[in-house]
Amino acid sequence: MSTTLPVTADESADLETLRDVEKRVLWLSTAIVDHANRVRESTGGVKVGGHQASSASIVSIMTALWFGVLRPEDRVSVKPHASPVLHAINHLLGRLDARYLTTLRQKGGLQSYPSRSKDPDPVDYSTGSVGIGATAPIWGAIARRYAHGLGTRAGTGRQFSLVGDAELDEGAVWEAVLDPIVRELGEVTWIVDFNRQSLDRVVPDISVTRLQGLFEAAGWQVITVKYGRLLTDLYAREGGDALRRRIDTMSNPEYQRLLRCTAAELRERLPQSSDDHPDDGSAIASLLGDIDDDAVHAAIRNLGGHDLGALLDAYGRIDDTRPTVIFAYTVKGYGLATQGHPQNHSSLLSEDQMRELAAWAGTDLDEPWAPLSPDSAAARLCAESATRLTRPDETERSGSRPASQDHGPAELPEIPTDVGRTPTGTGTTQQALGRALLDLTRSAPEAARRVVTCSPDVASSTNLGGWLNKVGSWSPRERRDWFADDAETILHWRERPTGRHIELGIAETNLVGLLGELGATWSRWGEPLLPIGVLYDPFVARALEPWAFGMYAGGQSILVGTPSGVSLAPEGGAHQSITTPSIGLEQPGCVAFEPAFAVEVTWCLLDGLGRLGRPDGSSTYLRLSTRPVDQSAAAVPEDPAARERRRRQVVGGGYLLRRGERRPQVTIAAMGAVVPQALEAAERLDALGHPADVVVVTSGDLLFRALDTGDRAVLDAALPADRAAPLVTVLDGHPHTLAFLAGVHRVRARHLGVRGFGQSSDLADAYAVHGIDADGIVTAGLDVAAAL
């Protein structure tokens, strides 16, 4: 079944008029980069940069798309180096004032790459990290469908990715393309700018045939736009078959070299025969002999990616029942003096070359931003396209709202701060996650309705089984559960469009890419979601870059890393995370928690949910453990007011759990799974005549912020000044994570943690090897206390 309305070329987009617009787009995008580098005064002596050639290769593709077929409900991810083209188009559509055209890569101006959160004009998807922007519309399609299931604001629409062919080298691209859920997303369309050049060179072995096969095997529709109409007409003439064989079989470097040849050189180089076709050379020479030099020169660069009619025809053939990829053959730097040069990636046109381009485009280098003549057909097409592409929210947009924000701040159901449960017995923080989600469905069903969990094939091993059984798994269409009647099946996969868990294949990049888009629905479509992604903590580092990029782009989510640390002792060094606690502390746009007890998991999770889906919101990272802990050690106050005070301290970063009767000689600041070891060590130090306090750090991140900003209230709750003492910090992670705590009261300190790779063992041996057991803490405590 079709998921979106069919798209046909706008009949008003007369090709000659469209070519005039194309010329202006090429001029503006080139001039934006030229002004930033050649005209604007440089104050730092550093090249501003920009990509005139990379922009030029995709101008035709983007002109045909925006001024021919796009609808307001469609969304487009633009390849990073084509940002000047996007800004040029937005200017022609009246969405970007001319004063910004001189601000590329300048403070407060146009960003180096399309940015949804920082550019002054509308940008659908942030790009810049290779592969992440390309795949974002896949996850955007899922997020739109999911959000639409909660209301009607998300609507429909195609999700386009404009991808450079070199970007297909990125592994994240194929992880996304091959995920089984993707083949059902008919609204996804990729357009590959197939110019056969990367940053450094002409790519010798890139093969569209091989790439086509990969996409087809993944269930995609494949459309190829290889030749323009000039070459197509030549192929239809006598000798045309020979010319086509010659061009089809030559290597990429040889073809690129022909782009730099004169007509005379082309007449010499092109005629060639093969053993299978010995007469091809003479047939090609005869064919070229019948056309003039200008036609010979134009023919060799007449590729389909620069033929507006061929592009419009390809767009009209998109099948909305499955994802589509369009391979559009292009010339890097098309229309510029640098076209086809193997080192043109970051090259800049000279002033003389800019003046030649201006004359061809019908404009003036001295007045580069002069508008189209108001009574011209091109100006009318721009105005008509602007009207056609206007989104309902744009008519309501105020000057104070970011241009990237499609909708105003959306209202979320109230998120509770506590569900009233006090866990007892022995349990793990990992188990507490699933319990907290189920508690939320009872205490705040409207909020829970907007929770969507995701995992890369680890839902059961991260204790989401109960949640999954209750809410079901999301799928574009309902599938039969063939194990529903199997009495021995405990975990049930009820797949349907109303499910609230999305299960992906084993690819952490896909997980966080999806999280970023689920976390942007509040601003993109006005339907806020509360996305929670769960993965093994050792693989957080693998997922960090795309997750960080998602946050940069405005996506807000909760990432749960579990199980973590050497507390996962039997799994050995391959599955024991070390650096993730400090990663959480250092990541912008994110609050990091590592709770020690089950009740803290609930409080931190609810705090994280409360940060989502709002303009001043942020993401959260939760680091959880499979280490069983006696929950009574949390000593949660029974008095409601005292309990609330503890909760505020937990979500503020830390609290004093053990307060000795005498002034301490040692303070032990412990985080996460090793809190029981800290409590045991404190008892032993007391017995040795060295009174010890124990501070539970739930967020080194928030305590560091408090120290940095001088927020004494947070620090005084965790580390009271009147009980300042030599300090021992300990965590199941790298010790530098908490080393800053010594600076709160400028005390002598020892910092314990994991500095090396672990090995398979039992828990006691693992802690002893790294010196984070009670013995290690006692020894460190005696060392720092000895200075008193």
Side-chain angles (χ1 to χ4, degrees):
M1 180 181 294
S2 177
T3 57
T4 58
L5 295 173
V7 174
T8 56
D10 187 344
E11 294 299 329
S12 67
D14 173 81
L15 287 182
E16 285 302 319
T17 303
L18 201 54
R19 289 190 188 98
D20 289 340
V21 174
E22 177 191 27
K23 284 185 178 181
R24 186 54 61 102
V25 172
L26 177 61
W27 166 254
L28 287 172
S29 59
T30 308
I32 286 170
V33 180
D34 175 69
H35 188 280
N37 289 274
R38 189 181 58 80
V39 181
R40 193 169 72 214
E41 182 180 356
S42 173
T43 57
V46 178
K47 178 184 176 182
V48 175
H51 302 86
Q52 291 176 330
S54 293
S55 292
S57 76
I58 203 169
V59 162
S60 306
I61 291 170
M62 292 178 66
T63 300
L65 191 61
W66 260 266
F67 297 93
V69 301
L70 275 188
R71 301 162 301 168
E73 60 268 31
D74 297 333
R75 298 292 183 271
V76 187
S77 175
V78 177
K79 73 171 188 174
H81 293 160
S83 65
V85 184
L86 178 60
H87 298 311
I89 288 174
N90 277 337
H91 173 63
L92 292 175
L93 293 174
R95 296 173 170 178
L96 182 67
D97 191 271
R99 64 190 172 92
Y100 284 108
L101 300 179
T102 61
T103 66
L104 180 67
R105 302 189 174 195
Q106 188 178 44
K107 181 181 178 182
L110 303 177
Q111 299 300 296
S112 53
Y113 311 118
S115 173
R116 206 173 161 255
S117 58
K118 296 183 182 296
D119 269 316
D121 53 333
V123 175
D124 289 336
Y125 288 98
S126 296
T127 60
S129 181
V130 175
I132 305 304
T135 59
I138 288 178
W139 316 124
I142 295 175
R144 183 203 60 75
R145 289 193 186 204
Y146 192 99
H148 190 65
L150 297 177
T152 59
R153 301 184 71 183
T156 59
R158 278 209 179 112
Q159 301 284 328
F160 288 92
S161 282
L162 306 184
V163 185
D165 54 359
E167 198 165 6
L168 297 180
D169 291 344
E170 173 57 54
V173 166
W174 299 106
E175 288 182 348
V177 167
L178 294 174
D179 196 281
I181 204 171
V182 173
R183 70 179 62 194
E184 298 188 55
L185 304 177
E187 63 267 49
V188 170
T189 298
W190 284 18
I191 306 171
V192 180
D193 173 11
F194 200 73
N195 59 44
R196 292 170 281 187
Q197 282 187 241
S198 62
L199 188 150
D200 286 332
R201 60 175 182 162
V202 177
V203 182
D205 296 319
I206 190 169
S207 167
V208 76
T209 303
R210 184 170 62 250
L211 293 171
Q212 288 169 333
L214 290 170
F215 278 99
E216 286 174 345
W220 290 50
Q221 176 194 20
V222 177
I223 298 172
T224 302
V225 190
K226 188 169 186 179
Y227 296 118
R229 294 184 181 178
L230 176 57
L231 265 180
T232 301
D233 289 345
L234 278 178
Y235 292 156
R237 296 169 63 173
E238 186 175 353
D241 288 344
L243 179 61
R244 181 163 195 156
R245 276 192 296 272
R246 172 77 174 102
I247 294 176
D248 279 346
T249 56
M250 68 175 57
S251 69
N252 293 331
E254 182 184 5
Y255 173 78
Q256 293 290 122
R257 181 62 186 91
L258 295 179
L259 297 174
R260 309 292 297 170
C261 289
T262 64
E265 291 170 329
L266 290 172
R267 293 183 191 277
E268 178 183 347
R269 290 175 181 245
L270 276 172
Q272 237 182 55
S273 300
S274 66
D275 292 341
D276 292 334
H277 301 279
D279 298 327
D280 276 4
S282 58
I284 294 171
S286 177
L287 175 62
L288 297 181
D290 291 338
I291 59 177
D292 61 27
D293 285 353
D294 288 342
V296 171
H297 203 259
I300 199 62
R301 53 187 41 77
N302 183 230
L303 298 181
H306 301 299
D307 188 306
L308 297 170
L311 288 167
L312 291 172
D313 176 66
Y315 298 158
R317 289 188 284 131
I318 295 172
D319 173 9
D320 281 330
T321 65
R322 54 182 171 154
T324 296
V325 60
I326 299 173
F327 287 96
Y329 279 71
T330 61
V331 174
K332 192 165 184 174
Y334 185 78
L336 307 183
T338 57
Q339 63 182 329
H341 194 283
Q343 278 85 51
N344 67 5
H345 183 78
S346 296
S347 65
L348 299 169
L349 299 189
S350 67
E351 180 177 348
D352 287 343
Q353 290 170 333
M354 285 296 297
R355 292 195 181 278
E356 291 175 5
L357 180 65
W360 171 83
T363 186
D364 187 343
L365 181 61
D366 297 324
E367 294 185 62
W369 324 120
L372 291 163
S373 174
D375 59 352
S376 67
R380 287 195 297 272
L381 176 58
C382 290
E384 291 165 3
S385 298
T387 300
R388 170 170 50 83
L389 293 174
T390 298
R391 296 168 182 170
D393 55 280
E394 289 179 333
T395 61
E396 304 165 3
R397 180 173 292 151
S398 66
S400 62
R401 190 188 306 170
S404 61
Q405 190 172 300
D406 291 350
H407 289 271
E411 292 187 7
L412 266 168
E414 184 177 355
I415 308 294
T417 57
D418 195 353
V419 296
R421 178 188 294 275
T422 304
T424 58
T426 299
T428 73
T429 53
Q430 178 176 291
Q431 291 170 340
L433 174 67
R435 180 79 264 168
L437 289 172
L438 291 172
D439 285 342
L440 186 65
T441 63
R442 286 186 287 269
S443 62
E446 282 303 307
R449 179 172 169 264
R450 293 190 176 269
V451 171
V452 51
T453 58
C454 316
S455 72
D457 197 36
V458 294
S460 57
S461 57
T462 54
N463 288 95
L464 288 181
W467 165 260
L468 186 57
N469 282 341
K470 182 174 181 63
V471 303
S473 178
W474 183 87
S475 174
R477 58 184 175 83
E478 187 161 357
R479 292 186 174 93
R480 181 174 177 178
D481 179 8
W482 289 98
F483 290 87
D485 59 349
D486 186 340
E488 296 183 3
T489 298
I490 299 174
L491 183 63
H492 290 282
W493 288 92
R494 289 188 289 272
E495 298 178 88
R496 51 183 183 257
T498 57
R500 294 192 225 162
H501 173 82
I502 301 177
E503 186 82 356
L504 301 175
I506 305 173
E508 287 76 16
T509 297
N510 287 353
L511 171 77
V512 294
L514 176 57
L515 278 183
E517 290 307 316
L518 290 168
T521 59
W522 67 274
S523 62
R524 198 188 296 281
W525 290 297
E527 288 290 350
L529 299 176
L530 303 174
I532 302 171
V534 183
L535 75 167
Y536 292 166
D537 195 68
F539 308 139
V540 165
R542 182 186 299 174
L544 183 64
E545 189 267 338
W547 189 49
F549 192 81
M551 287 185 275
Y552 163 80
Q556 300 167 8
S557 61
I558 296 176
L559 187 67
V560 180
T562 183
S564 65
V566 299
S567 296
L568 191 63
E571 289 286 340
H575 278 178
Q576 294 173 356
S577 55
I578 299 171
T579 62
T580 47
S582 59
I583 284 174
L585 188 150
E586 297 157 3
Q587 176 60 52
C590 170
V591 175
F593 289 107
E594 185 166 351
F597 300 103
V599 69
E600 296 171 5
V601 174
T602 298
W603 290 339
C604 293
L605 178 66
L606 295 175
D607 179 84
L609 292 174
R611 297 174 185 270
L612 303 179
R614 64 190 205 205
D616 61 342
S618 69
S619 294
T620 297
Y621 164 50
L622 281 177
R623 188 175 191 248
L624 305 183
S625 173
T626 51
R627 193 263 168 96
V629 172
D630 178 4
Q631 298 302 308
S632 67
V636 179
E638 293 184 4
D639 180 81
R643 178 188 177 98
E644 173 58 17
R645 182 174 183 270
R646 168 70 67 83
R647 186 201 66 80
R648 289 199 305 268
Q649 291 173 342
V650 166
V651 300
Y655 61 97
L656 184 59
L657 175 60
R658 185 185 191 275
R659 182 186 181 99
E661 295 181 0
R662 294 177 292 164
R663 183 179 177 87
Q665 294 184 14
V666 179
T667 297
I668 304 171
M671 187 161 74
V674 296
V675 167
Q677 273 59 44
L679 291 170
E680 179 186 342
E683 294 289 343
R684 290 168 56 182
L685 286 167
D686 265 0
L688 293 170
H690 298 285
D693 284 354
V694 175
V695 173
V696 175
V697 177
T698 53
S699 175
D701 177 11
L702 292 176
L703 291 185
F704 181 82
R705 296 187 202 190
L707 180 63
D708 189 44
T709 61
D711 185 355
R712 301 306 309 185
V714 173
L715 295 172
D716 287 345
L719 295 162
D722 62 350
R723 300 188 68 80
L727 181 68
V728 176
T729 65
V730 58
L731 75 155
D732 185 358
H734 198 280
H736 89 87
T737 307
L738 299 180
F740 71 91
L741 289 175
V744 175
H745 298 303
R746 300 183 181 181
V747 295
R748 177 181 172 89
R750 283 282 306 277
H751 306 292
L752 307 181
V754 181
R755 292 179 170 86
F757 293 111
Q759 57 181 301
S760 296
S761 66
D762 61 27
L763 188 65
D765 286 340
Y767 282 4
V769 165
H770 298 284
I772 58 175
D773 59 348
D775 286 349
I777 299 170
V778 168
T779 300
L782 292 173
D783 287 346
V784 295
L788 293 177

